């Protein structure tokens, strides 16, 4: 399968691609290499399952409520919504087992 691309808005897009036998969903800010995350399909499904919690957290931010939402998507992937940062943060954390 060739990759398929979908616009979220004028500055963000979602790309679905297949690498080997696994599908990946990449969310990226157009023109930025640092604001990109590629999620394996299983983690994309987890993210979609928690969208109501994310939306509730964002709505709480909009009404100036204190928010500290964080959840594990699997592997090293996490998403969070926190007071002081008006965004949904999705990132992969790395660690060195030898340090």
């Amino acid at each position: 399968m060739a990759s398929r691309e979908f616009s979220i808005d004028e500055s963000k897009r979602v790309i679905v691609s297949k690498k080997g036998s696994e599908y990946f969903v990449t969310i990226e800010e157009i023109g930025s290499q640092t604001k990109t995350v590629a999620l394996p399909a299983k983690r994309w499904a987890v993210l979609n399952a928690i969208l109501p919690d994310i939306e509730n957290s964002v709505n709480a931010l909009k009404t100036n409520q204190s928010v500290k939402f964080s959840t594990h998507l699997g592997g090293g992937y996490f998403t969070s919504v926190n007071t002081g940062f008006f965004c949904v943060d999705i990132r992969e954390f790395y660690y060195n087992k030898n340090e």
Side-chain angles (χ1 to χ4, degrees):
M1 170 188 122
S3 63
R4 298 203 47 201
E5 192 173 303
F6 306 91
S7 292
I8 296 175
D9 61 30
E10 63 277 350
S11 66
K12 294 176 190 69
R13 64 182 166 200
V14 173
I15 302 162
V16 179
S17 58
K18 188 174 183 183
K19 296 176 186 172
S21 63
E22 189 168 11
Y23 286 93
F24 285 84
V25 179
T26 303
I27 307 165
E28 69 178 24
E29 185 169 307
I30 297 168
S32 173
Q33 292 181 0
T34 60
K35 294 185 178 181
T36 300
V37 65
L39 298 172
K42 290 178 184 178
R43 291 188 184 100
W44 176 255
V46 173
L47 178 64
N48 277 282
I50 62 164
L51 278 178
D53 296 327
I54 292 171
E55 289 173 349
N56 289 339
S57 297
V58 169
N59 288 333
L61 281 180
K62 288 179 180 178
T63 59
N64 296 318
Q65 296 177 45
S66 180
V67 176
K68 187 171 176 104
F69 172 79
S70 179
T71 193
H72 185 222
L73 301 176
Y77 295 87
F78 292 83
T79 187
S80 63
V81 180
N82 292 296
T83 301
F85 304 94
F86 198 74
C87 69
V88 177
D89 187 19
I90 304 169
R91 64 179 68 215
E92 182 179 14
F93 288 91
Y94 298 93
Y95 71 95
N96 185 333
K97 291 188 276 188
N98 298 326
E99 293 182 5

